[in-house]
Amino acid sequence: MAAPFLSSPLQLTSTSPILFTKVTHTNQIQLNQRTTTTCTSNKLRLHRRSAAAGTAVTDQTEGREEVLLNPSPEEEKREEVVDYDWTEEWYPLYLTRDVPDDSPLGLTVFDRQIVLYRDGEGTLRCYEDRCPHRLAKLSEGQLIDGRLECLYHGWQFEGDGKCVKIPQLPASAKIPKVACVKTYEVKDSQGVVWVWMSTKTPPDTEKLPWFENFARPGFYDISGVHELPYDHSILLENLMDPAHVPISHDRTDFTAKREDAQPLVFEVTERTNRGFAGTWGREKEGGKGSNLLRFSAPCVLQNNREFEGKDGVKNYFSGLFLCRPTGQGKSMLIVRFGVTKRSPLVQVLPLWFWHQNACKVFEQDMGFLSSQNEVLMKEKVPTKELYLNLKSSDTWVAEYRKWMDKVGHGMPYHFGHRTISLPKVPPVVEHAPAGLIAGLSASYPAKGGIGTMQAPNLANRYFRHVIHCRSCSKVIKSFELWKNILSGTAVALTALAILVVSRQWKAVLLGSAALSSAAAYACLRAIQMNTNNFIRAHRRL
């Protein structure tokens, strides 16, 4: 993903390191005086087995340098498994500014469903998303006088999860103490709501992430929330991968260009049980590691850069990616680009423009990332059996999957480099409403049509971003209102032009009607920019 904030270009990355073994994949055959190259599945399996064993597979070509990443048998023996409990971590839930004031918000972390809301005093509360009465979702409820009410039978909860009202209970009866909900600790830190998922271990504030750049005076950021239809580990891989940016996002913004695709140079500078860090740069620029990447457990990725302006003042850039697992084949991302020195474009263009551009970037990746997720679930083998990681592009990807080998046993499911644990709980599928409502919902998914709030579709920009973004929701409503006003004005002016006799007045009225129609069309285009998916030109029907 590219960043529009800098006057000089910067591209973010996603890769992880394993060690490389020499492998080449050319099987040459002579046919009709022409040489063609074939790569059979048996050949690929031979290469992967050999790479996994730490041996070299070569052909008749000489002078080739090692290009693939894989650890030697000695290194794999040294790889350790560490104690890890996924619940004893802070997970990013939402941008604080986007948490609704008047309704509960249903969210998930892995396979646990939780509900977030603000009570009557504005304090953030988080419960298990399940009423103790008959297991109805509390996130489908409403807020009454600062209390969370289940819409099934009207039970109300407040504060630490205590039930304070049961309408069906006799006046003389006391509310049972067991009529309470499980609570989770939440913290608002640097504009993000975090949740501690363990109900047994007290929250560890030392693990709560803190980002130095975002605390700098004058630091400006553009942040957004995106819900995505693939696993959080695949999302993190993608965000760690700078090599894909010139190809996948060619000309999407002002930095990504296809002709800039090239070998990259990586250096891992730190490995711990809680993540890794390193530098990366372009080979043709001498491989200087001006980009600093850091991954921290459980799902935090940042790419930082320092640069000097013409005035000699040091400026700071951060690309921060907070990835939350939201169930099998789903994830939610809080993406934050920030800088101490803004480019003129950032100061001129509105926030919704940058948000829709970010949506476009994710849509460009969505097709192949979703298919990657499907293959991992279908094959049911570790990534070393499937990936061909390159030394010059995939170092962070390999490093991340090796970290998963260390800690994956403490997660509900994981895909590591050499280990794997499949989900034990079937995925939750939200079904659409039936009949006419379902048909209308499917016909107008991006516009928030009838029934769509009961049938979310993560392949659609409206549900991936707009419903999670207070500013974009308001902008779309405003554009919709102005579109209707301007359209009505154009019709009225045209009708008046027909009725008046004076040619001069006809010209004025028709000209005004034309301007109103043009403005209404501009509003329509703005709505489409915020709600319609990006489709590559070569795939358009």
Side-chain angles (χ1 to χ4, degrees):
M1 204 171 166
F5 292 84
L6 300 177
S7 52
S8 59
L10 172 70
Q11 294 173 344
L12 300 184
T13 70
S14 67
T15 26
S16 39
I18 305 176
L19 302 178
F20 286 86
T21 306
K22 186 174 183 180
V23 182
T24 56
H25 326 81
T26 50
N27 250 347
Q28 297 184 341
I29 59 172
Q30 195 76 23
L31 179 64
N32 296 332
Q33 305 299 318
R34 297 179 64 185
T35 302
T36 60
T37 302
T38 61
C39 184
T40 65
S41 58
N42 289 334
K43 181 77 170 180
L44 281 174
R45 281 195 292 270
L46 172 63
H47 284 304
R48 290 190 178 106
R49 285 199 301 269
S50 181
T55 59
V57 179
T58 61
D59 58 12
Q60 302 301 316
T61 306
E62 296 182 357
R64 295 266 184 112
E65 63 174 323
E66 295 178 353
V67 295
L68 292 183
L69 275 172
N70 271 300
S72 65
E74 292 77 16
E75 287 167 323
E76 285 205 339
K77 287 180 182 178
R78 290 199 300 268
E79 291 178 358
E80 56 181 328
V81 174
V82 299
D83 290 336
Y84 189 79
D85 183 344
W86 74 272
T87 66
E88 296 177 4
E89 297 283 3
W90 292 96
Y91 290 86
L93 284 183
Y94 229 60
L95 287 171
T96 308
R97 70 183 186 212
D98 289 329
V99 177
D101 296 319
D102 56 356
S103 62
L105 180 65
L107 302 167
T108 58
V109 180
F110 277 112
D111 56 353
R112 291 198 185 173
Q113 297 180 332
I114 57 179
V115 57
L116 180 69
Y117 77 98
R118 294 185 187 273
D119 64 17
E121 298 178 353
T123 303
L124 290 167
R125 303 288 184 180
C126 187
Y127 302 156
E128 182 180 28
D129 195 5
R130 187 169 71 182
C131 181
H133 178 212
R134 298 259 292 278
L135 311 182
K137 273 191 174 184
L138 292 174
S139 58
E140 295 289 337
Q142 60 186 345
L143 299 183
I144 303 292
D145 299 327
R147 298 188 294 268
L148 179 57
E149 180 183 84
C150 176
L151 269 181
Y152 198 6
H153 294 89
W155 290 29
Q156 293 182 4
F157 305 88
E158 67 177 12
D160 57 359
K162 178 182 178 181
C163 182
V164 294
K165 181 178 181 180
I166 299 179
Q168 298 80 13
L169 205 62
S172 58
K174 291 184 177 180
I175 297 176
K177 290 184 178 181
V178 293
C180 60
V181 290
K182 185 186 297 183
T183 63
Y184 295 94
E185 183 76 17
V186 289
K187 294 286 186 183
D188 180 0
S189 176
Q190 296 183 293
V192 176
V193 181
W194 301 81
V195 63
W196 178 262
M197 288 304 297
S198 177
T199 56
K200 299 178 181 178
T201 306
D204 184 351
T205 55
E206 293 294 322
K207 288 185 176 182
L208 185 65
W210 177 261
F211 308 104
E212 183 179 357
N213 281 350
F214 284 80
R216 296 184 185 278
F219 197 78
Y220 175 83
D221 74 282
I222 291 180
S223 304
V225 177
H226 303 267
E227 197 166 3
L228 300 163
Y230 39 83
D231 188 71
H232 81 288
S233 65
I234 291 176
L235 171 61
L236 279 165
E237 272 191 5
N238 175 251
L239 297 170
M240 291 177 187
D241 178 13
H244 87 284
V245 173
I247 303 296
S248 301
H249 309 305
D250 180 29
R251 268 74 183 182
T252 299
D253 61 12
F254 316 105
T255 60
K257 297 180 181 178
R258 187 179 185 85
E259 55 269 25
D260 287 341
Q262 61 186 281
L264 304 175
V265 178
F266 302 88
E267 181 183 0
V268 181
T269 59
E270 179 185 330
R271 288 189 184 97
T272 71
N273 292 339
R274 295 194 56 76
F276 57 88
T279 63
W280 68 275
R282 299 178 180 87
E283 185 180 75
K284 72 177 184 181
E285 296 175 356
K288 295 180 181 179
S290 59
N291 301 291
L292 309 175
L293 180 139
R294 176 175 295 276
F295 167 75
S296 305
C299 46
V300 174
L301 178 70
Q302 50 184 320
N303 199 323
N304 299 323
R305 185 180 183 184
E306 298 179 4
F307 60 100
E308 284 191 6
K310 295 180 180 179
D311 53 3
V313 176
K314 182 177 288 188
N315 292 288
Y316 301 88
F317 167 87
S318 277
L320 179 60
F321 306 97
L322 309 177
C323 310
R324 173 166 50 89
T326 58
Q328 298 172 43
K330 296 184 294 183
S331 55
M332 180 171 280
L333 171 68
I334 299 175
V335 56
R336 310 187 74 181
F337 286 120
V339 73
T340 52
K341 182 181 180 181
R342 286 185 284 172
S343 70
L345 279 175
V346 174
Q347 301 179 45
V348 173
L349 294 173
L351 181 62
W352 65 263
F353 174 84
W354 299 111
H355 281 193
Q356 66 83 29
N357 196 64
C359 289
K360 183 192 300 183
V361 169
F362 289 117
E363 286 155 10
Q364 289 170 338
D365 288 340
M366 192 180 303
F368 46 81
L369 294 184
S370 297
S371 63
Q372 182 183 352
N373 192 100
E374 292 170 4
V375 172
L376 283 176
M377 292 299 296
K378 179 181 178 181
E379 295 292 338
K380 296 181 175 61
V381 294
T383 59
K384 77 173 185 178
E385 302 292 335
L386 300 170
Y387 288 8
L388 290 174
N389 287 328
L390 292 180
K391 190 177 184 179
S392 54
S393 66
D394 305 316
T395 297
W396 305 138
V397 172
E399 201 69 36
Y400 173 62
R401 293 299 178 181
K402 285 167 63 180
W403 176 79
M404 293 286 277
D405 286 337
K406 286 184 179 182
V407 304
H409 64 91
M411 298 180 181
Y413 50 87
H414 84 284
F415 294 90
H417 166 68
R418 58 186 177 83
T419 62
I420 183 176
S421 61
L422 296 175
K424 298 180 177 62
V425 179
V428 175
V429 178
E430 298 284 352
H431 293 285
L436 176 63
I437 298 298
L440 292 174
S441 172
S443 300
Y444 303 99
K447 311 302 183 209
I450 297 175
T452 53
M453 295 307 292
Q454 287 73 43
N457 176 10
L458 294 187
N460 182 283
R461 184 180 295 188
Y462 180 83
F463 291 104
R464 283 199 322 276
H465 171 69
V466 174
I467 65 171
H468 300 294
C469 180
R470 184 175 295 188
S471 62
C472 286
S473 296
K474 288 182 178 178
V475 164
I476 291 174
K477 290 177 182 178
S478 296
F479 277 129
E480 189 72 41
L481 175 62
W482 278 107
K483 177 179 72 71
N484 294 335
I485 291 173
L486 290 165
S487 298
T489 301
V491 172
L493 290 171
T494 302
L496 284 175
I498 294 172
L499 295 175
V500 299
V501 177
S502 171
R503 290 186 177 182
Q504 183 178 1
W505 277 107
K506 280 184 182 290
V508 170
L509 291 171
L510 288 175
S512 299
L515 288 175
S516 297
S517 296
Y521 178 74
C523 290
L524 175 62
R525 290 294 298 147
I527 294 170
Q528 291 174 342
M529 286 179 68
N530 282 279
T531 57
N532 287 4
N533 281 11
F534 167 84
I535 302 176
R536 294 187 187 277
H538 68 276
R539 297 189 64 186
R540 291 197 177 109
L541 298 178

